[in-house]
Amino acid sequence: MDPTLLEKIRQQEELKKRLLDEPFLTLTLNKKQVEFTNSLSRETALFGMNQGGKTVALLAKARYHLTGLYPRGYKGIRFKEPIVAAMSGVTAQTTRDVLVNRLIGDIRNRGSGYLPKGSFDPDKDVVNLGGNVAHQVDHIYVDWHDESGEVKGKSKCYFFTYKQGADRVMGYPLQWIGIDEECDFDVYDELSARLNATQGYMDISMTPMKGESKLYLHFRDSQHEELRRAIFYDIRQAEHFSDEKKRELILKYEHHPYREARLEGKAVAGVGLIYGCPDEMIACEPFQIPRHYKQLIGIDLPHTTGAFAAVKLAWDAQNDVIYITDYYRASGHVWSVYAQAVSRMGGKTIPVAWPSDGRLKGLDRGAGASSTLISQYKDYGLKTLREPAHSITSQGKKDPSISPIIDELCERMSTGRFKVFKHLSGWFKEKSQYRHDGNKIVQSHSFEPDGLDAMHKAVMMKRHAVSEIEDHERPEASELSAFLDGDFFGGQYTSGRF
């Protein structure tokens, strides 16, 4: 074979391997990302949509500054010598996965991240940190190059989480700080102060999910762009999304309470409905639940005062549609009255999801001081799940927060995959009063979303829902009932069974 052709094949294979090893070489930043990397402000915040590439732009800046290898056409800040930097994320796990591993490659393949392969020694230049999260990195050393491309020393970059606060890097002469997602203003303020002595720079990439927070307004309302600049990055400027993907996301968040933050990178201001989808889009005629639909009940428990609520769902798993088929809410009774209502919903054969405060002892009227709230319902014969309600994250972690459930339900409502039997007036009334004020759910003495809270628990645990054609037996479900099934004491109860 022609030696010239062999050499060309070898070069192509080498280039292909290099591109696989160094993903940054295949990366093309869009206009907004370039605007962010080219910013000359002392502090720059990129407010962007979810999954829009904010962190990619932040990591690009980290690569430039840590290595001194600035791309052709770059117009931003340039350091003239190796720097000491710090990068921070929300948790130890996200700092490791989103920042560290994307910069240097994961533990199995160090050198396959955004930093150039060979710019650091995985054995000598990566200093690990002990802790509950495996393979945490405390800091790294990276070769820094001058304008001619020669190595002239090593930059150093620390990694920490917001929970550790600015004390983690106190005393270090930092020239650059990169923050991924929103931190408390006090943490930002302390980090900003770390740059005063060095006249350093700070960059933040975030989706403003905390509403018009102090940090958000600090950047948005800044009158001195040379000191502080806000850049907004919305879905129209996300060039890596196809037009079809953009339409899909716009539809997904059409009636979402945080639409502006999710799609436009702008904080939600003022009071608004959390579930803004029109009732007529989700109301449906009651029907006999098919035997293959999976069912589950969610409950919300009263404390010394307050209401009890239960919501029953039926999940058409084949088409991934959730139906709310029963709703009950009442107050002022002993726990056994509420247990009867759940039993009438089918709670002795259908799994029952419950909140974490079910582990409290003897706070409900009529509960024994030595037993937990949820144990009363279990002893009554209800098929309570083993653990309080929680979602499972993509990393396999338990998450009791309702934010991802609200996101899921908003998407389902806008895409026709969430329906409510139209006669459940109590549920629709709660929906009409369920509001947010910026980044907080509005509650008052006159309104508490007990039924919606019960629904959230049910949706969290829908993976445990069962159908009539499945085996319903569980060892913790008692076959005995302390009371006859019957709703003797009133309360609002509407059944979806026909």
Side-chain angles (χ1 to χ4, degrees):
M1 184 177 289
D2 185 349
T4 304
L5 180 59
L6 284 174
E7 177 62 18
K8 186 177 291 188
I9 292 174
R10 187 193 67 78
Q11 290 176 354
Q12 289 176 342
E13 290 298 321
E14 181 63 27
L15 177 60
K16 187 182 297 183
K17 183 177 185 302
R18 188 180 176 198
L19 292 176
L20 288 173
D21 287 342
E22 297 189 45
F24 190 82
L25 297 178
T26 66
L27 186 67
T28 300
L29 301 182
N30 63 37
K31 292 178 181 178
K32 277 295 175 180
Q33 292 170 320
V34 170
E35 182 182 351
F36 175 64
T37 59
N38 282 341
S39 174
L40 295 171
S41 300
R42 286 286 173 188
E43 298 178 354
T44 306
L46 178 62
F47 297 113
M49 59 173 292
N50 285 111
Q51 304 299 313
K54 308 180 304 297
T55 304
V56 168
L58 184 69
L59 291 171
K61 273 200 167 183
R63 173 190 164 106
Y64 301 160
H65 295 329
L66 291 174
T67 65
L69 298 173
Y70 296 96
R72 185 177 303 168
Y74 177 78
K75 301 176 182 178
I77 300 300
R78 291 176 184 261
F79 290 100
K80 302 299 184 182
E81 60 185 5
I83 66 170
V84 179
M87 299 193 75
S88 184
V90 180
T91 67
Q93 185 167 333
T94 57
T95 300
R96 180 197 65 190
D97 296 345
V98 177
L99 298 179
V100 175
N101 288 355
R102 289 171 75 176
L103 266 182
I104 66 175
D106 67 27
I107 187 67
R108 296 165 296 182
N109 195 15
R110 295 295 196 212
S112 62
Y114 281 19
L115 292 179
K117 193 175 183 66
S119 63
F120 65 95
D121 185 327
D123 295 322
K124 298 179 180 178
D125 293 333
V126 178
V127 179
N128 293 317
L129 178 71
N132 295 327
V133 177
H135 311 305
Q136 290 185 81
V137 171
D138 182 76
H139 60 273
I140 60 173
Y141 296 95
V142 184
D143 288 343
W144 186 89
H145 307 73
D146 64 13
E147 292 183 357
S148 68
E150 291 188 33
V151 176
K152 294 294 184 179
K154 283 187 177 290
S155 293
K156 184 177 184 179
C157 184
Y158 294 93
F159 298 95
F160 66 102
T161 71
Y162 303 150
K163 290 182 179 179
Q164 293 172 291
D167 291 346
R168 171 66 186 83
V169 290
M170 187 173 291
Y172 299 141
L174 300 174
Q175 283 85 36
W176 181 76
I177 296 174
I179 296 177
D180 187 50
E181 296 302 348
E182 185 169 5
C183 61
D184 290 340
F185 186 85
D186 290 345
V187 174
Y188 152 78
D189 197 41
E190 284 295 324
L191 290 174
S192 180
R194 299 287 163 263
L195 300 171
N196 291 341
T198 62
Q199 291 293 290
Y201 297 85
M202 179 187 293
D203 291 295
I204 304 173
S205 63
M206 58 177 272
T207 299
M209 295 304 297
K210 297 182 179 180
E212 291 187 327
S213 65
K214 190 174 181 180
L215 179 62
Y216 176 83
L217 295 176
H218 190 58
F219 278 86
R220 191 199 69 179
D221 298 340
S222 174
Q223 302 298 311
H224 305 283
E225 191 168 291
E226 72 278 7
L227 298 177
R228 194 176 303 108
R229 181 183 178 191
I231 297 174
F232 293 93
Y233 171 33
D234 67 33
I235 190 170
R236 295 168 298 179
Q237 297 148 335
E239 297 170 5
H240 62 293
F241 286 153
S242 65
D243 290 342
E244 181 180 354
K245 180 64 174 179
K246 290 178 183 178
R247 286 192 294 269
E248 177 185 321
L249 289 171
I250 290 170
L251 177 62
K252 174 180 178 178
Y253 291 110
E254 182 177 10
H255 301 291
H256 198 285
Y258 300 118
R259 181 184 185 280
E260 292 93 339
R262 298 290 195 196
L263 296 183
E264 301 173 19
K266 295 180 180 179
V268 178
V271 177
L273 286 174
I274 290 179
Y275 294 126
C277 189
D279 289 355
E280 55 268 23
M281 286 184 62
I282 59 177
C284 71
E285 294 290 342
F287 58 86
Q288 178 70 38
I289 304 301
R291 295 184 67 237
H292 67 278
Y293 280 21
K294 297 176 180 290
Q295 298 188 76
L296 187 137
I297 297 167
I299 63 174
D300 190 54
L301 300 170
H303 298 279
T304 51
T305 60
F308 174 93
V311 167
K312 181 180 177 182
L313 66 77
W315 179 27
D316 175 5
Q318 293 179 352
N319 298 301
D320 194 22
V321 180
I322 290 175
Y323 296 89
I324 299 301
T325 62
D326 255 331
Y327 169 96
Y328 171 87
R329 185 177 186 275
S331 61
H333 304 304
V334 295
W335 68 269
S336 56
V337 176
Y338 307 136
Q340 288 182 40
V342 178
S343 177
R344 291 194 59 184
M345 283 186 173
K348 291 183 177 179
T349 56
I350 296 172
V352 177
W354 47 278
S356 58
D357 55 14
R359 288 173 167 167
L360 298 176
K361 293 184 180 295
L363 294 181
D364 190 8
R365 290 193 298 163
S370 62
S371 58
T372 62
L373 293 178
I374 199 61
S375 67
Q376 313 290 318
Y377 296 85
K378 177 182 176 182
D379 292 344
Y380 179 84
L382 299 184
K383 195 177 181 181
T384 56
L385 294 174
R386 295 179 185 273
E387 295 181 294
H390 59 272
S391 302
I392 302 295
T393 68
S394 57
Q395 292 80 31
K397 303 291 185 180
K398 296 177 182 179
D399 181 7
S401 65
I402 66 170
S403 179
I405 302 304
I406 289 175
D407 285 348
E408 176 184 345
L409 290 173
C410 285
E411 179 187 2
R412 286 181 173 278
M413 290 179 188
S414 64
T415 55
R417 296 182 297 117
F418 179 85
K419 301 292 182 180
V420 182
F421 282 8
K422 63 186 297 184
H423 68 286
L424 302 180
S425 58
W427 186 93
F428 284 100
K429 182 178 180 181
E430 284 196 35
K431 170 182 172 289
S432 71
Q433 296 175 296
Y434 196 47
R435 296 174 175 269
H436 67 85
D437 184 359
N439 65 317
K440 296 180 180 179
I441 294 173
V442 177
Q443 294 195 25
S444 66
H445 294 298
S446 60
F447 170 71
E448 291 186 5
D450 306 291
L452 296 182
D453 285 344
M455 175 189 70
H456 294 147
K457 303 299 184 294
V459 175
M460 276 184 188
M461 301 297 277
K462 70 179 185 295
R463 62 190 179 278
H464 294 291
V466 298
S467 68
E468 289 185 18
I469 57 178
E470 292 176 311
D471 179 10
H472 290 188
E473 294 301 320
R474 283 170 58 104
E476 71 266 32
S478 171
E479 295 182 355
L480 300 176
S481 171
F483 294 90
L484 293 173
D485 287 342
D487 185 20
F488 299 111
F489 297 95
Q492 184 178 0
Y493 182 85
T494 44
S495 173
R497 297 187 300 275
F498 289 86

